[in-house]
């Protein structure tokens, strides 16, 4: 294949709607089954005007991340509303590709459980792991998305992008860290939220609540009313640890409330809640991963009180065990969990883990990373971010890390993208802050959090700084070290430098 040859490409001008300005849309498949969309504000020749650069364009590219197992093209209104080029990829597969018969085998390309919440695209019908699909999902599709966005930008406007950004949360956040770790020279800035990084440890760790409950409480499980009561009791017990009585635990790592103190729980139920909050440990009692934070509903990782999240079940079956019919209930126990966890760790270490702290290329390129993490995420527990943040500090030191990575932990927020009405600053506000930092050197020190659930305002300082007073617009107290208890609560026995 010649260097710029692609499998297919189409382009068209899309008319304006009340929400989205007119733009040029390019859809292409550069290789294999990687679908990419690039949208470009109209150039001079197509009648665009009003941008600071060429036509309606402001000179920036926003590469937008996906969600779950993706397999679709995400909405790209957001960059267009800002006058920015946008791009997205389906990460190398979609339902149609999974269902297509492969002429070489006479079988479908992959398992039918393939889509936003189905990880079957990495497994062929004979149980063979499709390593090319793993590579496309983890790294190659996002790299291709970005390089094509930059190439098409230059072609369409006749000039290079002034700045190139990655924006994503959840899987999109994982993609952002992957790009920072492996292709940091391509980008000027990253806006990364609650990422699905640690892809060889976090998905298997999220099976823990269901395994514990199945073993201790059987098919009946743990009634949601009981886990809700336990979480409410924990919030009551730990609320004022952070100095503000607002029904919110601002630092969940400091809450060690014991489930045995919850009224109405049987001893077995209390033990199950204890283990779910604590997270999995190895046979020697060393931490393997963190649990669901106290005050966070179990309903995502323990649906109905006795099941496993389908997004985690599909990972166990298709990614780890390579057996579409694998039944976790009849195999996984708290005793054999450490072996399963270590097998997952080894299987995808390096190739799919997205947990390297080597950000040399980002630093060389003077790139900036704005990182936001909700501490009540019920799907991607915040432990993975605590752990990665701590490992960055261990590698670069607190002050050096903060010169290019700033992290903001938002309490009382779950697995939700920032919106205008939610309890984190709006996406546009976060991105404006990143662009100000990247383009003018003014680093964000804090954000005001309008917690619409608890009906309170907080100042969220760049970690590990803390607000000097309660409420919005507080000054931040600078800290050059992470408190020892928080650092220790963020590490595992299996961390590597
Ligand atoms: Ca509080």
């Amino acid at each position: 294949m010649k260097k710029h040859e692609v499998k297919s490409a189409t382009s068209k001008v899309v008319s304006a709607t009340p929400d989205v300005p007119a733009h040029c849309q390019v859809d292409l498949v550069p290789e294999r089954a990687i679908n990419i969309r690039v949208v470009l504000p109209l150039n001079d020749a197509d009648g665009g005007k009003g941008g600071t650069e060429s036509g309606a364009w402001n000179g920036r590219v926003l590469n937008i991340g996906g969600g779950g197992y993706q397999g679709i093209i995400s909405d790209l209104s957001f960059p267009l509303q800002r006058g920015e080029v946008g791009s997205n990829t389906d990460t190398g597969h979609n339902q149609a590709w999974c269902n297509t018969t492969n002429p070489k085998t006479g079988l479908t390309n992959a398992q039918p459980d393939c889509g936003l919440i189905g990880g079957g695209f990495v497994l062929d019908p004979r149980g063979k792991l499709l390593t090319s699909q793993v590579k496309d999902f983890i790294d190659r599709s996002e790299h291709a998305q970005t390089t094509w966005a930059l190439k098409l930008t230059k072609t369409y406007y006749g000039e290079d992008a002034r700045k190139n950004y990655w924006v994503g949360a959840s899987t999109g956040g994982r993609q952002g860290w992957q790009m920072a770790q492996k292709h940091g020279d391509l980008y000027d800035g990253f806006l990364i939220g609650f990422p699905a990084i640690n892809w060889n440890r976090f998905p298997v760790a999220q099976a823990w609540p269901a395994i514990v409950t199945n073993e201790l409480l059987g098919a009946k499980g743990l009634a949601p009313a009981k886990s809700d009561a336990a979480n409410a009791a924990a919030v009551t017990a730990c609320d004022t640890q952070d100095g503000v009585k607002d029904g919110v635990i601002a630092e969940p790592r400091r809450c060690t409330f014991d489930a045995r103190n919850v009224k109405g729980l049987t001893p077995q139920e209390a033990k199950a809640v204890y283990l779910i909050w604590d997270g999995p440990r190895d046979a020697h009692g060393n931490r393997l991963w963190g649990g669901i934070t106290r005050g966070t509903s179990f309903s995502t990782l323990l649906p109905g009180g006795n099941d496993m999240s389908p997004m985690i079940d599909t990972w166990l079956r298709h990614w780890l065990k390579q057996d579409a019919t694998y039944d976790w209930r009849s195999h996984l126990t708290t005793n054999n969990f450490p072996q399963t966890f270590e097998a997952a760790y080894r299987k995808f270490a390096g190739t799919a883990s997205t947990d390297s702290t080597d950000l040399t290329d980002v630093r060389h390129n003077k790139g900036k990373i704005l990182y936001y993490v909700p501490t009540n995420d019920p799907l991607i527990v915040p432990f993975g971010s605590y752990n990665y943040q701590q490992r960055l500090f261990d590698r670069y030191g607190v002050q050096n890390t903060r010169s290019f990575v700033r992290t903001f932990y938002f309490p009382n927020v779950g697995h939700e993208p920032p919106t205008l009405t939610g309890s984190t600053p709006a996406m546009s506000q976060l991105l404006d802050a990143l662009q100000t930092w990247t383009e003018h050197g003014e680093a964000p020190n804090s954000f005001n959090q309008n917690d619409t659930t608890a009906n309170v305002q907080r100042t969220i300082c760049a970690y590990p700084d803390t607000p000097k007073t309660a409420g919005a617009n507080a000054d931040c107290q600078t800290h050059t070290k992470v408190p020892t208890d928080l650092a220790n609560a963020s590490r595992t026995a299996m961390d590597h430098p």
Side-chain angles (χ1 to χ4, degrees):
M1 195 182 271
K2 277 184 279 175
K3 203 176 172 196
H4 290 293
E5 203 169 296
V6 299
K7 287 178 80 172
S8 76
T10 60
S11 67
K12 62 180 177 186
V13 169
V14 179
S15 306
T17 66
D19 294 330
V20 184
H23 56 277
C24 173
Q25 175 180 312
V26 182
D27 290 301
L28 72 155
V29 182
E31 50 195 333
R32 293 180 297 284
I34 298 175
N35 281 276
I36 291 170
R37 175 167 294 169
V38 179
V39 292
L40 308 105
L42 294 182
N43 63 13
D44 293 321
D46 282 339
K49 59 183 179 193
T52 54
E53 302 279 317
S54 179
W57 181 48
N58 71 12
R60 301 186 183 103
V61 172
L62 294 192
N63 304 284
I64 305 289
Y69 295 97
Q70 192 65 344
I72 53 166
I73 295 288
S74 303
D75 181 77
L76 289 172
S77 305
F78 179 66
L80 290 167
Q81 287 158 351
R82 296 172 63 90
E84 294 165 359
V85 169
S87 75
N88 185 248
T89 177
D90 67 357
T91 68
H93 63 275
N94 58 29
Q95 188 74 62
W97 178 83
C98 288
N99 293 349
T100 298
T101 301
N102 183 329
K104 281 185 205 157
T105 62
L107 304 165
T108 56
N109 279 323
Q111 298 286 333
D113 188 4
C114 164
L116 202 55
I117 59 166
F121 63 94
V122 296
L123 193 65
D124 94 344
R126 300 163 299 184
K128 180 173 168 282
L129 189 72
L130 300 167
T131 54
S132 184
Q133 278 295 315
V134 173
K135 288 178 187 172
D136 284 353
F137 178 73
I138 293 296
D139 187 88
R140 295 190 301 206
S141 64
E142 307 98 280
H143 181 258
Q145 168 193 344
T146 305
T147 53
W148 276 102
L150 293 171
K151 251 184 255 182
L152 290 167
T153 294
K154 179 152 195 185
T155 302
Y156 190 61
Y157 302 108
E159 56 190 299
D160 282 319
R162 188 159 52 83
K163 295 289 173 192
N164 185 38
Y165 293 93
W166 185 273
V167 176
S170 196
T171 285
R174 198 254 319 142
Q175 295 170 317
W177 277 120
Q178 176 73 18
M179 293 300 98
Q181 293 164 14
K182 303 292 181 193
H183 312 286
D185 54 337
L186 262 183
Y187 304 85
D188 300 290
F190 301 82
L191 177 58
I192 296 176
F194 46 96
I197 52 172
N198 310 294
W199 191 245
N200 60 339
R201 293 191 285 174
F202 127 77
V204 63
Q206 307 308 69
W208 177 250
I211 294 165
V212 165
T213 307
N214 183 53
E215 179 174 309
L216 268 62
L217 301 167
K220 189 163 153 277
L222 177 66
K226 295 212 174 185
S227 56
D228 289 349
N231 277 308
V235 170
T236 300
C238 295
D239 186 358
T240 55
Q241 276 179 349
D242 54 37
V244 183
K245 188 171 164 57
D246 55 1
V248 175
I249 302 169
E251 179 44 83
R253 285 173 291 183
R254 290 219 162 101
C255 183
T256 54
F257 175 73
D258 190 330
R260 284 175 298 189
N261 297 326
V262 180
K263 287 189 188 121
L265 262 57
T266 67
Q268 281 296 88
E269 287 169 339
K271 188 178 176 191
V273 172
Y274 168 83
L275 290 171
I276 290 169
W277 278 341
D278 187 50
R281 293 178 182 269
D282 69 14
H284 308 289
N286 298 311
R287 176 167 301 295
L288 292 172
W289 208 246
I292 299 176
T293 55
R294 287 168 177 79
T296 304
S297 170
F298 291 5
S299 63
T300 301
L301 291 180
L302 194 65
N306 61 0
D307 208 348
M308 183 181 287
S309 161
M311 296 192 72
I312 302 305
D313 182 43
T314 186
W315 194 88
L316 291 177
R317 290 185 291 123
H318 297 117
W319 285 69
L320 182 61
K321 297 294 180 179
Q322 293 175 219
D323 174 1
T325 66
Y326 179 79
D327 175 18
W328 64 270
R329 287 174 201 276
S330 51
H331 289 95
L332 297 180
T333 65
T334 55
N335 268 336
N336 67 27
F337 186 81
Q339 288 164 263
T340 307
F341 187 89
E342 281 153 29
Y345 178 89
R346 283 193 304 274
K347 183 166 185 174
F348 296 109
T351 56
S353 48
T354 313
D355 64 348
S356 167
T357 54
D358 184 353
L359 300 173
T360 304
D361 290 345
V362 175
R363 281 158 64 84
H364 279 172
N365 206 34
K366 299 199 175 354
K368 307 292 184 234
I369 301 173
L370 201 164
Y371 189 19
Y372 62 97
V373 181
T375 63
N376 294 98
D377 192 328
L379 176 62
I380 302 176
V381 300
F383 181 83
S385 289
Y386 294 141
N387 176 260
Y388 186 65
Q389 169 72 85
Q390 186 58 46
R391 292 176 52 235
L392 286 177
F393 284 161
D394 290 346
R395 182 177 185 128
Y396 293 110
V398 171
Q399 294 307 87
N400 267 337
T401 302
R402 283 160 45 108
S403 70
F404 71 109
V405 181
R406 295 232 167 176
T407 306
F408 299 88
Y409 291 103
F410 290 96
N412 211 23
V413 185
H415 196 83
E416 306 144 29
T419 63
L420 287 169
T421 53
S423 292
T424 41
M427 185 77 94
S428 54
Q429 196 187 340
L430 294 170
L431 183 56
D432 288 347
L434 171 67
Q435 292 179 342
T436 299
W437 187 17
T438 304
E439 299 175 20
H440 305 291
E442 296 160 34
N445 289 317
S446 65
F447 290 95
N448 284 331
Q449 180 187 19
N450 179 23
D451 183 338
T452 52
T453 311
N455 199 25
V456 293
Q457 304 261 331
R458 292 183 200 97
T459 303
I460 306 299
C461 300
Y463 185 77
D465 291 356
T466 48
K468 287 180 180 172
T469 52
N473 300 311
D475 288 333
C476 293
Q477 177 71 50
T478 303
H479 299 288
T480 54
K481 278 184 180 169
V482 175
T484 307
D485 64 328
L486 297 185
N488 288 342
S490 305
R491 293 195 174 99
T492 84
M494 291 165 81
D495 291 337
H496 54 82

